[in-house]
Amino acid sequence: MSIMFKTALGLSVLTIAPAAQAATYLIGPVTATASGNMGSPASTVLTGALGAGARITGIRYAMTMTASGDSYLSDLAILFGNSEDYLVRFTPARDRLEGGTVDLTGTADLVDMGLDFFLLGDGVFRLEFIDTYNAGADPARGAWTDTMFEVTYDAAMAGVPEPSSWALMILGFGALGGRMRRRGRTRVAFTA
């Protein structure tokens, strides 16, 4: 195959391949409460639309957490996921077996941790604040104030080519057809 043919074919394939675009989604500042595990009516749930098929890759956070009553700071957690299921459980003060208030900041690279996940076709990103100790019957004992998240994700790009991509594909397929047509002819030399 000639260099021109390979280049045209390669460019036509590249234009139809879906690509990913890195992006961030900012949440906050938020004030949230928690009373009980997932689905408790006293727990705060937040959602955002990031796009169908987006891959959640990391989280940066800054928060003030308060555990009161019988709840410990280690009982307070945040669930991250898509519209159907929570796929990551984040317990920022997991070693704090006490009540009170604490300020926390940090990052979590979900890819390195093997916890990255994809959103469904509706593109909804969801998080819920929970208190794993409190059964939900009591008033909320977990509280977050001045809480901010920066969610990093790869937005899935649509697989439908733009008009300029169509033109490049047609050029590539035209070069392919021309090359095949030229190859089909054989030249025979007649001698007398």
Side-chain angles (χ1 to χ4, degrees):
M1 280 197 247
S2 71
I3 298 284
M4 183 176 141
F5 172 72
K6 289 179 184 178
T7 304
L9 184 61
L11 288 174
S12 67
V13 171
L14 283 177
T15 59
I16 60 173
Q21 176 184 7
T24 58
Y25 176 63
L26 301 175
I27 303 169
V30 173
T31 299
T33 58
S35 178
N37 281 313
M38 180 179 67
S40 172
S43 295
T44 303
V45 177
L46 303 173
T47 61
L50 305 186
R55 177 183 176 212
I56 308 301
T57 59
I59 297 168
R60 178 178 293 163
Y61 59 92
M63 65 183 70
T64 300
M65 289 176 38
T66 302
S68 60
D70 296 332
S71 294
Y72 290 158
L73 290 164
S74 61
D75 297 326
L76 305 183
I78 304 162
L79 304 174
F80 298 97
N82 55 40
S83 59
E84 288 186 4
D85 197 13
Y86 290 114
L87 304 163
V88 175
R89 179 182 168 147
F90 175 50
T91 310
R94 67 180 170 275
D95 298 331
R96 305 287 299 262
L97 302 175
E98 60 196 9
T101 301
V102 64
D103 293 322
L104 300 167
T105 60
T107 60
D109 186 334
L110 299 180
V111 175
D112 285 348
M113 299 166 78
L115 297 172
D116 57 316
F117 61 92
F118 291 88
L119 300 183
L120 302 177
D122 58 10
V124 173
F125 172 76
R126 181 173 60 142
L127 61 94
E128 182 174 348
F129 298 84
I130 64 169
D131 178 357
T132 60
Y133 176 78
N134 192 349
D138 298 326
R141 293 185 179 166
W144 289 260
T145 55
D146 296 325
T147 300
M148 298 186 72
F149 294 101
E150 181 180 301
V151 179
T152 56
Y153 64 99
D154 292 334
M157 301 298 285
V160 178
E162 294 179 4
S164 60
S165 298
W166 278 112
L168 195 55
M169 283 190 327
I170 291 168
L171 179 67
F173 289 127
L176 174 63
R179 178 74 174 157
M180 290 174 69
R181 184 169 184 216
R182 221 177 277 144
R183 231 180 203 196
R185 296 181 186 159
T186 56
R187 297 182 186 216
V188 179
F190 289 97
T191 58

